[in-house]
Amino acid sequence: MHFLQRVFVFGQEHQLQNVAAGQISATSTDAVNGSQLFSIALQVSALWTDLASITSDQQRSRRRAEIPP
């Protein structure tokens, strides 16, 4: 903890660069790096797009079901 107190002083922010990828799990206490965050952001964006498409398809199907022949 002493290291972090010296590095992270309010008003004197620094970047930690060339940080190895941390373990990502429910029990991990590792830090994650920028490339790991970017990868997760891409996956979330893709899932969000898929969800929006599915929701849109369902809404169109409901509208078609409501229109009498």
Side-chain angles (χ1 to χ4, degrees), residues 2-4 6 9 12 17-19 21 23-25 27-29 32-33 35 45-46 48 54-55 61-62:
H2 184 66
F3 170 75
L4 291 178
R6 286 187 289 144
V9 177
Q12 298 178 10
Q17 296 180 327
N18 301 316
V19 177
Q23 290 291 324
I24 299 176
S25 73
T27 58
S28 175
T29 59
V32 295
N33 65 28
S35 65
S45 178
W48 186 256
I54 290 167
T55 302
S61 293
R62 283 189 195 122

Side-chain angles (χ1 to χ4, degrees), residues 7-14:
V7 172
F8 296 105
V9 177
F10 183 74
Q12 298 178 10
E13 290 79 10
H14 299 278

